[in-house]
């Protein structure tokens, strides 16, 4: 289908995988109609500003931190939970900006990350087999058949939660909380006494001194860059009923934007060139991403670039590689070389989480901190060999004191996982592990 015939509904003529079977009734259509009448969550002009920032990343002048929950939860919606998730992103970006002197583009997996692709339609609970949990926008994580029935009214609840999350994020990031003078306040109590926490305090004190120095020199300290930050929102654009309903025509340019988030990405399981997701996202003008797993070939990747960014607009397309620690060294360089030689400008981001998931003997899904770091190192090495820019990382993290990933500075053990394993879906780095990773990352960026 050409750009001329694209329409927010044109994906409906293509095979759409990973969509729920809504119960037979008019309810899903009614909810979509209701969503269509609701205000957009983000504005086209904001998506364009993010695209410009990502263009800086594709030009090798900035670095991108894309991080947050694997799956947001309807049960975790307090101001405190939103603030703790924001704090760790602010801390990580302060470490990276300060230690590597590179501007950081921050994107949160937040305010819309409510739908999960699943490898299997069912899952085993004891000796029962029930439909899989698909994220709170579709069904409940409770382990009964009834709880797993897709409920379209959840789309409205997710929209409302996204709206209030975004409202608080905007207040926090523009209203003083993200002011650089608050750099100490972002450190959390349970982190402060740890080695990572102390290392962070050191950087925070250096930032304080640098600010005092600039002020004493007569530098105008009213510059908004010191007092406000942008945290852009993003999620996997998986549930096309929802994304379609929030897609609006921008009155300024006449272009279509998916106003559910600033940036959307197509997952590893839905990136088929002839599929509905690629069709849908080919026509919206937001910055978009595509996950690339170990089976992605250079030819497929070039076709995705052609299909999703035919005009070669810098910042439009982000390729998020999630190849796995054992394969990245061999699989990534040919992909980098092919895209580099095609002249298509892309942002390269490393997701070191999704191809490094393991299951412990006791059945816990987890990831090793050492594997995560090793995939990031392999990513930097491949880019260095191919002369391309390692533009960022894509992480599953949370501000809480959870125990979901093994290792890190605190050397979390398999037995330790049981203490606070809280994720609805994939294992996330906790606040200490996230800071630890940011320090390692800053060293790689400085090289
Ligand atoms: C995710 O980002 O949570 C996810 C499911 O990723 P992928 O599509 O890369 O498996
Ligand atoms: Co995940």
């Amino acid at each position: 289908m050409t750009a001329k015939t694209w329409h927010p509904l044109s994906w409906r003529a293509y095979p759409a995988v990973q969509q729920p079977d809504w119960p037979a009734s008019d309810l899903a259509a009614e909810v979509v109609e209701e969503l269509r009448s609701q205000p957009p969550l983000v504005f086209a002009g904001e998506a364009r500003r993010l695209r410009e920032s990502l263009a800086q990343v594709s030009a090798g002048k900035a670095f991108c931190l894309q991080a947050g929950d694997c799956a947001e939860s309807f049960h975790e919606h307090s101001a405190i939970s939103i603030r703790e998730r924001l704090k760790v992103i602010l801390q990580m970006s302060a470490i990276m900006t300060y230690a590597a002197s590179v501007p950081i583009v921050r994107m949160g997996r937040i305010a819309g990350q409510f739908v999960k692709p699943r490898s299997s339609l069912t899952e085993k609970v004891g000796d029962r087999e029930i439909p899989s949990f698909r994220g709170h926008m579709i069904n409940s994580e409770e382990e009964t058949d009834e709880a797993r029935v897709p409920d379209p009214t959840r789309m409205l609840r997710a929209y409302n939660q996204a709206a209030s999350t975004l409202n608080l994020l905007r207040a926090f990031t523009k209203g003083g909380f993200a002011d650089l003078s608050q750099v100490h306040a972002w450190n959390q109590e349970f982190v402060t006494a740890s080695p990572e926490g102390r290392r962070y305090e050191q950087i925070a004190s250096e930032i304080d001194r640098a600010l005092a120095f600039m002020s004493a020199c007569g530098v105008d300290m009213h510059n908004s860059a010191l007092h406000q930050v942008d945290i852009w929102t993003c999620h996997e654009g998986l549930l096309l009923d929802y994304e379609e309903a929030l897609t609006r025509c921008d009155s300024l340019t006449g272009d279509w934007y998916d106003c559910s988030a600033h940036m959307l990405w197509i997952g590893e399981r839905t990136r088929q060139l002839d599929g509905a997701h690629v069709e849908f996202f080919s026509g919206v003008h937001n910055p978009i991403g595509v996950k690339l797993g170990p089976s992605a070939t250079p030819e497929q990747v070039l076709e995705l670039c052609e299909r999703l960014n035919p005009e070669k607009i810098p910042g439009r397309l982000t390729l998020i590689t999630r190849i796995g620690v054992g394969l990245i060294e061999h699989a990534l360089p040919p992909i980098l070389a092919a895209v580099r030689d095609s002249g298509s400008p892309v942002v390269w981001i490393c997701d070191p989480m999704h191809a490094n998931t393991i299951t412990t003997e006791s059945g816990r899904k987890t990831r090793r901190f050492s594997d995560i770091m090793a995939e990031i190192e392999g990513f930097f090495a491949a880019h260095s060999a191919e002369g391309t820019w390692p533009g960022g990382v894509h992480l599953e993290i949370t501000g809480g004191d959870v125990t979901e990933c093994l290792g890190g500075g605190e050397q979390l053990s398999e037995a330790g996982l049981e203490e606070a394993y809280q994720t609805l879906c994939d294992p996330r780095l906790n606040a200490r592990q996230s800071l630890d990773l940011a320090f390692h990352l800053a060293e790689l960026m400085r090289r």
Side-chain angles (χ1 to χ4, degrees), residues 69-71 109 113 115-117 236 265-270 291-293 320 322 351 354-355 367 394 396 425-426:
D69 271 314
C70 178
R109 289 175 61 120
Q113 177 56 25
V115 193
K116 301 312 299 172
E236 177 172 350
W265 75 86
I266 302 173
E268 162 69 2
R269 293 164 190 77
T270 48
K291 293 279 201 95
L292 299 174
I320 307 164
R322 31 87 87 217
D351 166 358
H354 285 92
R367 293 159 173 157
H394 180 118
E396 290 184 339
C425 191
D426 290 340

Side-chain angles (χ1 to χ4, degrees), residues 21-66:
D21 282 324
W22 299 120
S25 76
D26 297 337
L27 193 55
E30 283 165 25
V31 168
V32 168
E33 245 352 271
E34 168 79 20
L35 280 172
R36 241 191 265 288
S37 70
Q38 297 293 313
L41 294 174
V42 307
F43 302 105
E46 295 177 311
R48 280 193 288 275
R49 271 184 49 224
L50 172 58
R51 195 182 66 212
E52 283 158 19
S53 295
L54 290 170
Q56 293 294 306
V57 180
S58 75
K61 294 180 183 152
F63 193 82
C64 180
L65 173 64
Q66 186 171 31

